[in-house]
Amino acid sequence: MVKNHIQAAAEIIKESKYLIALTGAGISKESNVPTFRGEDGLWRNYNAMELATPAAFANNPSLVWEWYSWRQGLIAECEPNPAHNILVKWEEKGILKTLITQNVDGLHRRAGSQNVLEVHGNLWALKCVSCNYVGMSNAPALGIPPCPQCASHLRPDVVWFGESLDAGIIDQVYIELNKADACLVVGTSALVQPSASFPLIVKKRGGQLVEVNVEETSLTDVVDVHLLGMAGNVLPSLDSLLD
Ligand code: OAD
């Protein structure tokens, strides 16, 4: 592993034939979206962690919605930052094939990324707890939204503790991991499975890994290049080396 060798990272990206990216909360930090485990992280507040469970929703759906509505309000005020924008540019140039994100803030799509796999769902997505209804909301929830199909409760379509990821999305993720010859890992603590193991799958198949983070993570020892810094600075610098 080499540290802070931005030229080496640029070479990996330039030489790749099928680059994918895995992003986490750190890429949205400079857009003012809170991370989960950092200093002001959402999970620092133990009560918040307790809200992200199916049991919490069954016991007190209003309280859970109050918290999600607050988060929806927060992200409605946020804008994509230069790191999101560089990933859009690389997709448009054909350099980046797929973006796998653990983020539920929707900022990659808002920035303009098309080929996005949101493995933990999206804060604006809704699904019914009783029937097969799924939909999107465009404003923070006021109370518990009713299902337009069966009048039961709608819940946020995000993955909660104890739940499995959407099988269809995970299938697509594995197809991409098996095509990738390089993976850029940005702003994730790499502590949550299965996402933390995605880059390892690429590596095992002989692919190269570049990590961008303001700290070292459990992946740092196995990546080819680790770039220490804020995503909103590092990605534009990398981009300037590609032309
Ligand atoms: P974490 O909060 O665990 O980690 C955020 C990472 O971003 C840390 O490693 C930070 O060092 C890094 N970071 C912070 N600011 C940065 C910046 N400006 N540039 C680059 N890196 C920066 O967030 P995730 O790894 O995304 O799941 O967490 C994974 C999952 O855990 C989340 O999707 C969420 C949570 O439980 C669900 O809610 C299902």
Side-chain angles (χ1 to χ4, degrees), residues 97-126:
K97 304 295 191 269
T98 297
L99 180 45
I100 301 165
T101 188
Q102 299 165 87
N103 297 346
V104 293
D105 57 35
L107 287 182
H108 284 303
R109 286 190 204 278
R110 260 175 60 198
S113 286
Q114 306 275 326
N115 207 1
V116 185
L117 295 171
E118 293 175 312
V119 294
H120 290 164
N122 186 300
L123 274 183
W124 300 107
L126 302 162

Side-chain angles (χ1 to χ4, degrees), residues 9-42:
E11 289 307 318
I12 291 175
I13 293 172
K14 267 196 227 171
E15 283 164 18
S16 69
K17 302 222 160 13
Y18 205 98
L19 173 71
I20 63 171
L22 170 69
T23 65
I27 197 167
S28 295
K29 171 86 181 185
E30 292 152 73
S31 297
N32 295 321
V33 180
T35 60
F36 293 93
R37 296 176 181 77
E39 236 169 70
D40 311 314
L42 289 176

Side-chain angles (χ1 to χ4, degrees), residues 52-69:
T53 68
F57 192 76
N59 290 339
N60 195 342
S62 304
L63 181 66
V64 172
W65 261 118
E66 209 176 291
W67 189 60
Y68 276 92
S69 172

